[in-house]
Amino acid sequence: MTTNDSARLDDLIGRAERLADASGLSLSTVSRKLFNDGKGLARLKAGGQCTVKTLAAATERLDALEREMAPARAQAPKRTETMSASIDSGASRAATDPLTMTHLDRLEAEAIHIMREVAAEAANPVMLYSVGKDSSVMLHLALKAFYPSKPPFPLLHVDTTWKFREMIEFRDRIARERGLKMLVHINDEGVRMGVGPFTHGSALHTDIMKTQALKQALDAGKFDVAFGGARRDEEKSRAKERVLSFRAEGHRWDPKNQRPELWSIYNARISKGQTIRAFPLSNWTELDIWQYIHREKIEIPSLYFAAPRPVVERDGVLIMVDDERMPLGANEKPLKEMVRFRTLGCYPLTGGVRSTATTLPEIIKETLLTKTSERQGRVIDHDQAASMEKKKQEGYF
Amino acid sequence: MARAATLEDVGSNAEDIVAHLDAHERKSMLRFITCGSVDDGKSTLIGRLLYDTKLLYDDQIATLEADSRRMGTQGEKIDFALLVDGLAAEREQGITIDVAYRFFSTERRKFIVADTPGHEQYTRNMATGASTADVAVILVDARQGILTQTRRHSFICQLVGIRRIVLAVNKMDLVGYARERFDAIEADYRRFAEGLGFESIVAIPISALEGDNITTRSTRMQWHNGSALLPYLETVKLDEAKADAPFRLPVQWVNRPNLDFRGFSGTIASGVIRPGDEIVVAPSGKRSRVKSIETMDGPLDAAATGKAVTLTLVDEIDISRGDLICGGASPAEQTDQFAAHVVWMAEDGMLPGRQYILKTDNTSVSGTVTDLKYKINVNTLERQPAKTLDLNEVGVCNFSLAKPVAFDPYKENHRTGSFILIDRLSNATVAAGMIDFSLRRAQNVHWQSLDVDKKVRATAKHQRQCVLWFTGLSGSGKSTIANLVEKRLADMGRHTYILDGDNVRHGLNKDLGFTDADRVENIRRVAETAKLMADAGLICLVSFISPFASERRMARELLEDGEFIEIHVATPLAVCEKRDVKGLYAKARRGEIKNFTGIDSDYEAPAAPEIRVDTTTRSAEDAAADIVRFLEEGGYLGL
């Protein structure tokens, strides 16, 4: 190699270093682009040699690279360290920068990761679908996780026969429109016994028509994993719930056999008789759910939006008269009031709140400013002290 | 900063709300862990953060106030610890793994706090909570200063790779907000932590109980120049995706909705990917380019660390769950032996030599600890010799795996460098591991796609690989002819091998008897072995009665077109029985052997064999010559 060549080599190294500095690319990246070898530049700097032909080729690539980087630098002279590496024209807005993950992006990716992992490991998974907003988000995430395939599992709705009529219509329409397999299970024995919230009380009704019905459906379908939409922020006792929650035979939650969950590694191996409840929304809060519904334009039942609805006030709770099965007291007369529902369930057990919020932003604003927690409208929670805890032990969630 | 306060300022104008929502949707997320025991005021701190960020609803605050009066330890004041210490029932549950996750958010960030109470299980719980944390808040009681437990917390943080530490010196109210006390503790800690290599240590004097330096700077500690705790957590830099980090996509799921689409789904562990980028797949070493990044919202121009994506490739290459798609210029290492730090999490101690299931982000493989090099005393950081690891102990071990996995050292990539160990019987997660380095240095030199295939191997032997499958009754002359064929081929310099009852029944299939199931399994194994021989480029001669057409068809289907040559040695039963070289027909006729082919078990003659040999009209020598001619004419030998 001549002195001239050696000077050209020094020039190349200097230019490459300046480019790395200015662009935020690491020297090894630049080196890879020039020599197809991440350590090439370092070797040359340390006195290594290369052929004249290689030098010429690298110089040519460096010319191109400098041209490519120039306009990007001109547009964004003060790039931060994390932004700098994106070498496209820089015109994209922050939200679409592939390197920046918002909290919703991270929650979405985590939920999708969990769904894919569980679907890949489970023998016969199913997704519990309650028609509510959390189920709507979970279903949306499932559609995203497996796109363009359909989710590789059916949905399962446990119908207590006392759900709001609109919930059933919404459920059937969504399943039809999305081409999803929707399994519906009703506890026929409970129906034969005439179980209902008005005649048997909320606790017994929920136990027979929901908790027992769910167990029946999971046993009948021989499902080893059931996705649920529960979140850790819903209830103090859920703060320690795993993403994969292991149930012993009879669906009992078994606190001694819960497993540590490190990183994003999930141990979904089960022994005979064991089943798993998988909660991909574990780390979401109620606000996250609403924000995500807003961002992704996810359709939810109109019961969440305020509208004039026939209600009676009982023990301070506004109950909607959804069908003729609702027994009315002598002094009770349904009144049309502007109400909406913060959670959806059996209509006799779900209290409405007076509201004028008819759009999603208005609902979210109300949610943000609200002074009472989400579950307050649920009649079943007031039934027994620590009732959620007990229900979890029994297999309800 | 508290979210409700600012939203109240937002008018009822829908556009204002939408704008506000848009801003909220672009918040980042920080996950942190609080370390400290009950006495350090950890629960009070978390309760205070929840309270001050207005995460609590009125009904929850009313409950809290009532509980504080009834059970609290703070007199008339609110006892924030009650918010997170949980129900009595919860404590009685005896949950074995005790990590609680709490959530709050401010204008700038959403926070997830991993809260790990409990002294006994501390190491296991803390490692679990810390594994997903970006920052650790280590609490110190200002009256106590740096204690053994502070060192333990710091070591575990360093072990799981947390690089940013907040040293929260709590209970400053109890030391009169004295600057000297704080400065002494900070200096102590920095001296100790020097060896742990944290990227940043920020010390903040606080009083969780009084709310000093929590959400805003305390007027009672004007001498402190740094920020309060929450503002720090709101602004601390996240480990964002680095564009030049090597691309890694652990494949979780192969997405095949129809024959025209083949996508590979997973969460990007590091780096950036764009359509057109070259990739290399571990372990196959196959290369291709990214065709598209598919999502339900349309294809993406680019995707980076943390995003859950589905990639399609330009070429149809075989990729399955468990594979790692890497950037073309930076393939991951592969190894079946490595050294790793391990945190033992089960009541039953670790047993070197026992087989565990090792699970990474996307694959499971059988593995054993071959050597426990030493354990680390989490209190003194001393290395100690050990034969086993007990619950909550940390050690450095060598592992040996049943097959190689692709990985990066944990310090370079948490997602591709971590694993858990699963007990084979109970399926419990018994340990967490962090890979240090491969023990097979030679394999660090990057592998290339295996371009040496059977065609290359066969060509080197100047032949075309094939399986000559001799079928026929016992005593029909199969083995005699097969041996003659092999001898002739060997004379011609060809590479061959014979599989027959003698060399298979005594080794590979010595566990099999003569039940129907075993006979089928016998033939299956022979067929698979023959396939491997063909893959090695050999001419393989198989000599088995193989009476059932279905097993022979199975063997044919295992091989490629033209590789399976069925040879029916069609000696009539009467002739075989008359020869009865081994005296077996006589025994079968006397009923001493059951299920003997041709006597009381059927022989299904091939309908269309490639070659039919009639030993009543041709000698064995002639038959062998016919077969070799068939091979020559079929182009199996002339290369």
Side-chain angles (χ1 to χ4, degrees):
Chain A
M1 198 177 248
T2 65
T3 331
N4 190 21
D5 287 336
S6 138
R8 278 172 55 202
L9 196 55
D10 287 344
D11 175 56
L12 179 89
I13 293 169
R15 277 170 60 196
E17 285 179 338
R18 282 193 297 279
L19 181 81
D21 269 357
S23 66
L25 293 178
S26 75
L27 205 58
S28 61
T29 304
V30 175
S31 173
R32 218 161 34 235
K33 286 178 188 293
L34 300 187
F35 297 98
N36 201 18
D37 173 4
K39 292 204 173 94
L41 271 172
R43 286 201 197 96
L44 292 177
K45 262 182 84 173
Q49 300 285 312
C50 72
T51 65
V52 179
K53 203 171 143 198
T54 305
L55 180 61
T59 309
E60 207 167 288
R61 287 191 203 114
L62 182 59
D63 291 343
L65 206 53
E66 282 174 342
R67 278 195 302 276
E68 192 183 328
M69 304 298 285
R73 281 208 306 280
Q75 277 180 20
K78 271 193 177 175
R79 298 193 141 218
T80 63
E81 198 182 314
T82 51
M83 295 277 295
S84 60
S86 142
I87 37 174
D88 41 21
S89 61
S92 60
R93 61 192 184 93
T96 57
D97 184 325
L99 299 182
T100 308
M101 295 276 281
T102 67
H103 73 297
L104 290 180
D105 293 335
R106 275 178 83 172
L107 291 170
E108 176 188 78
E110 180 186 65
I112 289 175
H113 180 83
I114 292 164
M115 286 185 188
R116 286 172 174 170
E117 196 60 18
V118 170
E121 298 237 316
N124 191 18
V126 68
M127 177 167 278
L128 303 180
Y129 181 75
S130 74
V131 198
K133 65 184 194 314
D134 303 78
S135 279
S136 299
V137 166
M138 186 162 65
L139 175 57
H140 183 78
L141 288 163
L143 291 168
K144 279 194 155 189
F146 302 101
Y147 176 89
S149 295
K150 295 283 180 209
F153 40 74
L155 304 180
L156 170 63
H157 181 233
V158 174
D159 187 350
T160 62
T161 71
W162 289 89
K163 300 293 179 192
F164 288 97
R165 280 172 304 169
E166 192 205 317
M167 289 170 68
I168 305 302
E169 289 159 21
F170 184 87
R171 174 195 76 193
D172 294 343
R173 182 168 60 78
I174 290 290
R176 197 174 54 240
E177 285 176 6
R178 303 295 177 109
L180 298 165
K181 188 173 174 196
M182 177 76 70
L183 308 171
V184 175
H185 181 79
I186 294 175
N187 185 347
D188 291 330
E189 208 186 321
V191 172
R192 269 197 302 279
M193 286 155 56
V195 173
F198 296 117
T199 46
H200 292 70
S202 70
L204 194 61
H205 164 73
T206 305
D207 180 56
I208 293 174
M209 298 309 289
K210 193 162 178 178
T211 311
Q212 300 304 328
L214 173 62
K215 290 182 195 175
Q216 287 172 353
L218 293 178
D219 288 341
K222 293 192 168 61
F223 298 113
D224 56 345
V225 181
F227 289 101
R231 312 186 312 263
R232 284 172 176 151
D233 85 319
E234 281 178 76
E235 174 83 12
K236 197 149 62 166
S237 70
R238 281 214 177 123
K240 293 181 181 181
E241 183 65 279
R242 309 293 108 202
V243 170
L244 299 189
S245 178
F246 291 82
R247 307 296 160 110
E249 218 139 350
H251 304 279
R252 286 191 71 86
W253 187 55
D254 182 1
K256 298 246 188 269
N257 275 321
Q258 302 305 311
R259 299 171 185 170
E261 288 170 347
L262 296 103
W263 303 290
S264 50
I265 305 179
Y266 296 97
N267 173 3
R269 299 179 74 89
I270 45 175
S271 312
K272 202 167 179 297
Q274 254 185 342
T275 54
I276 298 178
R277 304 288 160 88
F279 302 121
L281 306 182
S282 283
N283 286 327
W284 296 55
T285 61
E286 189 190 0
L287 181 58
D288 297 328
I289 294 284
W290 282 118
Q291 286 183 340
Y292 191 69
I293 288 171
H294 178 249
R295 187 183 90 171
E296 301 282 307
K297 302 183 175 62
I298 298 169
E299 194 184 354
I300 52 173
S302 69
L303 289 162
Y304 284 108
F305 300 92
R309 295 188 167 96
V311 292
V312 294
E313 186 162 350
R314 257 182 212 176
D315 306 325
V317 180
L318 294 171
I319 304 292
M320 176 170 155
V321 184
D322 196 44
D323 61 32
E324 70 297 337
R325 289 179 296 176
M326 170 119 179
L328 294 173
N331 302 326
E332 282 180 333
K333 194 165 179 286
L335 293 174
K336 285 252 174 182
E337 290 212 50
M338 278 292 277
V339 294
R340 66 180 190 86
F341 296 89
R342 289 172 63 189
T343 63
L344 299 185
C346 297
Y347 80 83
L349 302 178
T350 309
V353 290
R354 291 191 178 88
S355 167
T356 54
T358 54
T359 66
L360 199 52
E362 282 167 2
I363 290 176
I364 297 174
K365 190 184 176 206
E366 249 185 41
T367 306
L368 286 169
L369 295 177
T370 189
K371 301 292 186 197
T372 54
S373 60
E374 183 184 3
R375 285 189 169 269
Q376 223 200 16
R378 287 198 190 174
V379 178
I380 59 169
D381 279 359
H382 301 317
D383 253 23
Q384 285 164 306
S387 62
M388 283 309 290
E389 192 50 50
K390 196 158 167 291
K391 290 201 161 49
K392 189 159 79 175
Q393 292 262 0
E394 288 162 358
Y396 164 86
F397 57 85
Chain B
M1 161 184 331
R3 63 169 213 235
T6 54
L7 199 79
E8 272 157 7
D9 303 334
V10 176
S12 55
N13 186 328
E15 279 169 25
D16 290 349
I17 304 171
V18 171
H20 184 81
L21 281 173
D22 282 347
H24 261 280
E25 282 164 10
R26 280 200 279 273
K27 281 193 288 207
S28 57
M29 183 158 101
L30 181 86
R31 300 182 69 134
F32 69 96
I33 180 171
T34 51
C35 321
S37 59
V38 179
D39 295 340
D40 294 330
K42 183 161 54 69
S43 297
T44 306
L45 174 64
I46 295 172
R48 166 64 77 176
L49 286 168
L50 299 183
Y51 185 80
D52 282 357
T53 52
K54 303 262 196 307
L55 193 85
L56 302 175
Y57 296 111
D58 281 356
D59 52 327
Q60 290 173 321
I61 292 175
T63 309
L64 176 63
E65 282 168 351
D67 286 354
S68 296
R69 278 193 295 276
R70 203 155 43 87
M71 316 184 276
T73 56
Q74 302 299 326
E76 282 303 297
K77 286 187 198 159
I78 291 179
D79 185 350
F80 295 108
L82 290 175
L83 270 179
V84 289
D85 277 356
L87 309 162
E90 194 185 335
R91 284 199 291 272
E92 287 158 16
Q93 279 167 10
I95 302 177
T96 46
I97 303 297
D98 214 7
V99 186
Y101 295 90
R102 321 276 177 193
F103 309 86
F104 65 96
S105 62
T106 68
E107 288 289 290
R108 309 179 67 146
R109 273 196 177 149
K110 168 182 169 127
F111 296 93
I112 302 181
V113 194
D115 178 18
T116 57
H119 320 270
E120 299 297 319
Q121 314 292 353
Y122 209 90
T123 301
R124 159 168 86 174
N125 291 332
M126 212 193 118
T128 301
S131 70
T132 51
D134 306 306
V135 171
V137 176
I138 296 180
L139 274 157
V140 173
D141 185 331
R143 297 168 303 174
Q144 310 276 342
I146 307 301
L147 299 175
T148 300
Q149 64 181 30
T150 317
R151 285 190 266 276
R152 179 172 56 191
H153 300 158
S154 304
F155 168 66
I156 298 166
C157 288
Q158 184 252 354
L159 182 69
V160 298
I162 295 179
R163 305 217 309 272
R164 295 185 181 84
I165 301 291
V166 176
L167 183 73
V169 181
N170 192 21
K171 304 196 181 183
M172 287 301 290
D173 52 316
L174 298 182
V175 296
Y177 298 104
R179 174 177 197 167
E180 302 71 40
R181 188 67 199 134
F182 171 76
D183 286 347
I185 292 172
E186 179 180 1
D188 250 13
Y189 186 77
R190 287 194 186 278
R191 208 160 28 244
F192 152 74
E194 216 167 294
L196 293 176
F198 294 122
E199 195 176 294
S200 82
I201 297 169
V202 172
I204 304 175
I206 64 167
S207 167
L209 188 66
E210 301 292 338
D212 290 298
N213 275 341
I214 303 295
T215 56
T216 51
R217 288 180 55 182
S218 168
T219 51
R220 286 180 281 214
M221 288 179 278
Q222 304 259 0
W223 46 263
H224 178 65
N225 292 324
S227 71
L229 178 61
L230 192 56
Y232 170 77
L233 294 174
E234 279 187 305
T235 52
V236 59
K237 204 168 143 280
L238 290 163
D239 286 328
E240 301 252 1
K242 291 194 179 65
D244 57 350
F247 179 74
R248 299 282 184 264
L249 180 77
V251 177
Q252 287 181 285
W253 197 70
V254 178
N255 196 334
R256 276 228 91 166
N258 54 56
L259 289 175
D260 301 326
F261 187 94
R262 191 175 164 84
F264 307 101
S265 303
T267 308
I268 299 175
S270 70
V272 183
I273 196 80
R274 292 183 169 82
D277 285 356
E278 190 193 20
I279 57 97
V280 54
V281 182
S284 73
K286 295 239 165 70
R287 283 174 185 267
S288 182
R289 284 185 184 280
V290 176
K291 187 165 140 200
S292 65
I293 308 168
E294 296 290 341
T295 75
M296 200 165 82
D297 306 317
L300 299 179
D301 297 335
T305 310
K307 185 110 183 141
V309 294
T310 297
L311 300 185
T312 65
L313 303 177
V314 171
D315 306 287
E316 269 211 22
I317 60 177
D318 198 28
I319 299 178
S320 34
R321 170 172 165 79
D323 287 353
L324 187 64
I325 298 180
C326 306
S330 50
E333 284 185 56
Q334 285 196 78
T335 189
D336 58 357
Q337 291 189 19
F338 58 75
H341 277 74
V342 168
V343 181
W344 200 256
M345 301 189 146
E347 302 282 346
D348 296 335
M350 180 186 83
L351 294 177
R354 169 181 280 190
Q355 287 235 319
Y356 296 100
I357 295 159
L358 185 143
K359 181 160 194 220
T360 66
D361 206 47
N362 67 332
T363 189
S364 297
V365 55
S366 181
T368 49
V369 174
T370 51
D371 186 20
L372 171 58
K373 295 204 278 197
Y374 54 86
K375 66 178 180 185
I376 301 169
N377 182 318
V378 295
N379 294 323
T380 62
L381 311 192
E382 278 170 356
R383 296 177 178 189
Q384 298 166 339
K387 290 211 155 45
T388 179
L389 284 182
D390 289 326
L391 177 62
N392 287 316
E393 289 193 322
V394 177
V396 172
C397 312
N398 287 347
F399 281 83
S400 175
L401 308 183
K403 61 172 193 176
V405 292
F407 78 102
D408 294 293
Y410 184 76
K411 64 176 171 12
E412 285 170 25
N413 192 327
H414 290 190
R415 209 149 180 155
T416 52
S418 56
F419 62 88
I420 58 172
L421 292 183
I422 300 171
D423 185 271
R424 301 187 76 94
L425 281 181
S426 69
N427 287 326
T429 300
V430 294
M434 290 140 284
I435 301 177
D436 295 323
F437 50 80
S438 167
L439 295 169
R440 287 199 192 275
R441 298 304 187 160
Q443 294 196 358
N444 293 354
V445 182
H446 288 304
W447 24 263
Q448 290 291 325
S449 178
L450 290 173
D451 287 328
V452 180
D453 58 16
K454 63 182 164 188
K455 184 156 184 266
V456 173
R457 296 185 200 103
T459 306
K461 300 174 181 70
H462 305 288
Q463 62 194 28
R464 218 166 90 202
Q465 74 285 348
C466 61
V467 173
L468 300 173
W469 191 282
F470 293 81
T471 174
L473 295 167
S474 177
S476 58
K478 300 182 297 297
S479 295
T480 308
I481 298 169
N483 281 319
L484 288 170
V485 171
E486 184 176 39
K487 190 165 178 305
R488 281 170 174 261
L489 291 173
D491 289 346
M492 298 163 76
R494 307 305 172 189
H495 298 250
T496 58
Y497 193 75
I498 288 189
L499 293 171
D500 63 22
D502 286 335
N503 61 11
V504 172
R505 278 278 180 192
H506 292 123
L508 178 66
N509 290 359
K510 72 177 169 190
D511 57 330
L512 298 178
F514 290 88
T515 64
D516 278 354
D518 280 1
R519 279 169 182 267
V520 171
E521 172 63 5
N522 184 40
I523 296 300
R524 188 193 69 80
R525 289 188 199 174
V526 168
E528 287 285 359
T529 309
K531 184 188 173 189
L532 291 176
M533 298 283 178
D535 196 52
L538 297 172
I539 295 171
C540 181
L541 301 89
V542 177
S543 169
F544 277 78
I545 297 172
S546 42
F548 303 123
S550 62
E551 271 69 57
R552 297 194 300 265
R553 188 166 60 241
M554 180 265 299
R556 185 184 287 275
E557 283 167 4
L558 274 178
L559 294 155
E560 289 185 27
D561 284 349
E563 287 183 350
F564 186 84
I565 299 162
E566 190 170 27
I567 301 168
H568 183 201
V569 183
T571 309
L573 177 64
V575 178
C576 295
E577 187 167 6
K578 198 170 155 204
R579 290 181 190 157
D580 203 7
V581 193
K582 298 173 189 167
L584 296 173
Y585 282 93
K587 282 188 179 177
R589 286 289 183 201
R590 290 195 300 270
E592 290 166 22
I593 305 176
K594 289 285 167 209
N595 298 328
F596 194 80
T597 304
I599 305 300
D600 55 349
S601 183
D602 281 351
Y603 177 81
E604 299 168 8
E610 274 75 8
I611 302 171
R612 179 172 275 119
V613 176
D614 187 351
T615 58
T616 55
T617 56
R618 304 277 292 170
S619 70
E621 290 284 358
D622 291 343
D626 290 345
I627 292 166
V628 172
R629 196 172 312 119
F630 175 91
L631 292 177
E632 279 174 333
E633 287 170 2
Y636 291 91
L637 306 177
L639 303 173

